[in-house]
Amino acid sequence: MISHTIVDHLFFALLLTIPLVEWKWSWPRYLARLGNGSPNARLNHYRKLIAGEWVLTLVLLAFWALRKRPWSALHLAADNPLGFGLGLAYVLALIGLLVWQRRALLARPDRRARIRKALKHAEPLLPHTEHERRIFWVVSATAGFCEEVFYRGFLTWYLSVWMGPVAAVLLASAIFGAGHVYLGVAQVPKTAFIGLILAVVVGITGSLWAAVLLHAAVDWNSGELGFKLLSLDSTSELSSA
């Protein structure tokens, strides 16, 4: 079993601390910049998210490589080809269902108000322009890979040294949910449940890759749904003007 080092403890502390800083400091200031009409506020926020997550991920992976630790401990190696293939097929089918559901919802004007209400907490993050939309694709891919490495990879390994794998998965999912508290306390249990689903995908496939794909696709699909709704709202306002 791989033992913890001071670097592991520091990284664990960062995973607990950064969301609190985001919730109490970064996010309110970002919302203020949006409210003040600061130029490119959303694009700059996207760029900071992308840069911040990749820097942390690359530092972690570099440390892992320097310590000659097995990549399988982070679930970055697919040791079960059959489970990986079946899990990947399931994830691709689920992604297809998400895309179909999004198109079906957008085709129903009577449901758009309910969708807008459900996405209200995330509106500051959703792309409003075509340029923001393209950068949000990168945000989604970044979150898919980096956050899976953080939570389903490193954090689950870190906690499992002290507790059983089931308890480690449950606690890592709870911390993943708490990491999104800046979107509102009500989103914490919902995000924790999504984290648990992603952990199950990792357990079935034996690697992070299918969960990375699903995580990125969920974020991308939410961005596409929000962008389309905002575009429809703008079109309706222009038509009524």
Side-chain angles (χ1 to χ4, degrees):
M1 179 179 289
I2 307 169
S3 58
H4 292 151
T5 68
I6 186 63
V7 175
D8 298 309
H9 297 317
L10 287 173
F11 200 83
F12 174 65
L14 281 175
L15 289 180
L16 298 180
T17 304
I18 290 175
L20 295 176
V21 174
E22 178 78 8
W23 179 32
K24 292 297 186 180
W25 190 80
S26 303
W27 185 251
R29 282 158 179 75
Y30 166 58
L31 294 180
R33 288 193 295 273
L34 277 181
N36 293 332
S38 178
N40 297 322
R42 190 172 285 105
L43 284 172
N44 290 335
H45 187 69
Y46 288 169
R47 292 175 182 127
K48 287 177 183 177
L49 287 175
I50 293 166
E53 292 206 351
W54 275 112
V55 166
L56 281 177
T57 302
L58 292 175
V59 168
L60 173 64
L61 296 181
F63 171 73
W64 211 265
L66 286 172
R67 298 285 296 186
K68 294 182 169 51
R69 290 174 170 177
W71 295 111
S72 57
L74 291 179
H75 300 295
L76 285 171
D79 297 328
N80 180 2
L82 178 60
F84 178 78
L86 291 174
L88 185 61
Y90 170 75
V91 165
L92 290 173
L94 189 57
I95 292 170
L97 179 62
L98 285 173
V99 173
W100 173 83
Q101 184 185 47
R102 168 168 54 84
R103 291 176 176 173
L105 288 171
L106 290 171
R108 295 283 302 273
D110 56 308
R111 295 188 179 182
R112 290 176 192 163
R114 185 167 50 181
I115 303 169
R116 288 189 202 94
K117 184 177 180 180
L119 290 175
K120 185 68 176 176
H121 68 279
E123 185 176 341
L125 272 179
L126 297 175
H128 287 56
T129 68
E130 187 61 38
H131 189 191
E132 291 174 357
R133 180 191 187 193
R134 291 194 297 270
I135 301 300
F136 192 81
W137 296 346
V138 183
V139 173
S140 300
T142 296
F145 181 75
C146 297
E147 292 181 13
E148 289 311 302
V149 171
F150 295 159
Y151 292 99
R152 258 60 66 186
F154 171 81
L155 186 56
T156 302
W157 163 80
Y158 181 89
L159 295 171
S160 66
V161 174
W162 289 333
M163 59 188 70
V166 174
V169 164
L170 291 174
L171 184 53
S173 299
I175 294 173
F176 175 69
H180 294 75
V181 68
Y182 66 94
L183 292 173
V185 175
Q187 301 307 313
V188 171
K190 297 176 185 178
T191 310
F193 180 68
I194 292 172
L196 188 57
I197 292 173
L198 291 166
V200 170
V201 170
V202 173
I204 291 172
T205 62
S207 83
L208 285 182
W209 296 107
V212 166
L213 181 60
L214 181 57
H215 189 151
V218 168
D219 287 1
W220 167 79
N221 192 61
S222 297
E224 290 294 286
L225 181 59
F227 177 76
K228 295 292 185 183
L229 282 173
L230 291 166
S231 298
L232 288 170
D233 286 348
S234 299
T235 303
S236 299
E237 288 174 5
L238 288 173
S239 300
S240 60

